[in-house]
């Protein structure tokens, strides 16, 4: 199982995105664990992630997160994709970072 972790400002709207990502993942052969946490939890949940996605509202933290986890794929979520809650697109981004697409 691959672990996809999203970090955002507080976790509220990202929770909706996670639900959409889980729905999209249900149609795939690979199993994914997809969770969202506030940015303050990066030290607790970043180490166990296979890929880290960062909400657009905290994209300023991407370089800092990359410095903490230099061997993990890390990327900011596109603001339009995030705003439209396109879980399938964000999941495809995570899968690409994992080398699965």
């Amino acid at each position: 199982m691959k672990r996809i972790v999203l970090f955002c400002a507080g976790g509220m709207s990202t929770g909706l995105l996670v639900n959409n990502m889980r729905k999209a993942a249900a149609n795939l052969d690979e199993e994914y664990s997809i969770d969202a946490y506030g940015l303050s939890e990066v030290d607790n949940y970043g180490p166990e992630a296979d890929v880290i996605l960062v909400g657009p509202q905290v994209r300023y933290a991407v370089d800092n997160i990359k410095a903490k986890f230099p061997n993990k794929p890390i990327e900011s979520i596109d603001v339009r994709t995030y705003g439209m809650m396109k879980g399938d697109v964000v999941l495809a981004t995570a899968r690409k970072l994992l080398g699965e697409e």
Side-chain angles (χ1 to χ4, degrees):
M1 178 179 300
K2 301 289 174 135
R3 181 144 171 94
I4 301 169
V5 177
L6 287 73
F7 291 105
C8 61
M12 296 299 190
S13 59
T14 306
L16 298 171
L17 181 60
V18 165
N19 287 336
N20 292 342
M21 290 175 69
R22 288 176 180 159
K23 288 177 188 173
N27 299 321
L28 301 173
D29 291 334
E30 182 75 42
E31 287 188 37
Y32 297 94
S33 169
I34 307 169
D35 295 293
Y37 304 99
L39 186 60
S40 63
E41 298 291 328
V42 74
D43 290 332
N44 295 327
Y45 297 101
E48 62 192 45
D50 292 304
V51 63
I52 296 174
L53 298 173
V54 179
Q57 67 274 41
V58 292
R59 68 179 166 262
Y60 64 85
V62 168
D63 289 339
N64 185 35
I65 296 169
K66 285 182 176 181
K68 288 182 183 217
F69 308 108
N71 297 322
K72 293 186 186 288
I74 299 165
E75 188 169 306
S76 177
I77 301 168
D78 175 73
V79 67
R80 278 177 276 166
T81 302
Y82 185 92
M84 295 174 71
M85 294 288 138
K86 293 189 169 250
D88 58 333
V89 175
V90 178
L91 179 61
T93 299
R95 294 184 74 221
K96 182 179 175 186
L97 291 169
L98 290 166
E100 297 176 359
E101 275 198 8

